[in-house]
Amino acid sequence: MEEIMSMIFNGINLVKELEFSLSAQESPESLSTSLGSVSTLFGDANERLKILLARRNSLVLNQPEPKPVSMSDLDQIMMQQIEHGLMQDYSLREGVMQGVKNIDSGPGCSFSTPRPRRRQKDVEEEKVFVAAARMGNMDTPPDDNHTWRKYGQKEILGFKFPRAYYRCTHEKLYKCPAKKQVQRLDEDPYTFCVTYRSSHTCHFFTTSPISSTAATATTDGHYGSTVVNMAEALFGNVDSVVPFDESYFDYRSLFNGSGSDWDT
DNA sequence: GCAATTTGACCGAA
DNA sequence: TTCGGTCAAATTGC
């Protein structure tokens, strides 16, 4: 299964290279070659995924619980996740909303004294997989239109890469409780697993004009036409790409919880 | 000088 | 006792 994931992530990286080629105004021949590679890679990955799912569904036919994940559901979820990472990365250069949906944990900020030094179970969290930049600083995930201050980094058991801890820059001034953890994936160093905890109460975005556009996109759910065009070109159906109002999905937890094929 | 980052130490849940 | 999360002093960069 990791092979399939690797193919998908490779496809994402190819798309990013294609995007760079677009901005560099490379020849139509070169663009055509890149497009062919992308479609082949995604096509192959999808075929393998379908075979895998067909196999799994046949295995769980006699088991009423838990309900097997249907192929269409999984395809949709998987593509939402991939599209989300892709669109986040793409929007970096286009300067539009990246589609990171912050968790809404309700009460927001409530630091009791003493401040808990370990994560609270009742705090909602949301995982998002984000493609890393292929150029420039690849150690940090793409900007999500909030300003973060790093307050820690730790080696985590079972992970090759350290986990970085960030909190909202406005934490003290506006008592914004938002935090995030950034973990680079072992199997794909170009992808980060970003875990958001607590929602922003400060509602501050980065101050560039580009980002104010992003802020608008956040509230009304509309996205730049460039992004929509790209999404249509890639996936055909924009409705499956935006808006990102569904819960993002953690493919590890999904597949670890429902089968062992991902371990192969 | 100030703000952000780094990093070893500390705390506490499991 | 272990290990994830946080603190806070030292360091770095603007």
Side-chain angles (χ1 to χ4, degrees), chain A residues 31 66 72 85 91 117 126 130 141 166 188 194 197 206 212 221-222 257:
Chain A
L31 293 175
S72 58
S91 62
R117 298 181 67 116
E126 179 174 334
V130 182
Y166 297 85
D188 185 356
V194 183
R197 288 201 189 123
T206 49
S212 61
H222 288 80

Side-chain angles (χ1 to χ4, degrees), chain A residues 172 190 244:
Chain A
K172 286 183 178 169
Y190 293 108
F244 300 102

Side-chain angles (χ1 to χ4, degrees), chain A residues 69-137:
Chain A
V69 180
S70 74
M71 190 182 302
S72 58
D73 285 348
L74 186 67
D75 279 348
Q76 194 173 349
I77 293 168
M78 176 74 78
M79 292 309 291
Q80 276 183 353
Q81 184 68 24
I82 293 164
E83 289 155 7
H84 177 245
L86 174 65
M87 297 305 284
Q88 276 199 321
D89 185 74
Y90 184 75
S91 62
L92 264 183
R93 294 195 187 90
E94 294 299 320
V96 298
M97 175 54 192
Q98 297 176 24
V100 173
K101 193 189 79 172
N102 293 317
I103 24 172
D104 184 25
S105 55
C109 160
S110 60
F111 286 131
S112 58
T113 49
R115 178 199 297 251
R117 298 181 67 116
R118 201 173 169 89
R119 85 179 186 195
Q120 299 152 295
K121 269 194 164 182
D122 56 340
V123 174
E124 287 186 41
E125 61 180 44
E126 179 174 334
K127 284 186 179 180
V128 175
F129 288 88
V130 182
R134 295 289 291 228
M135 291 171 292
N137 187 1

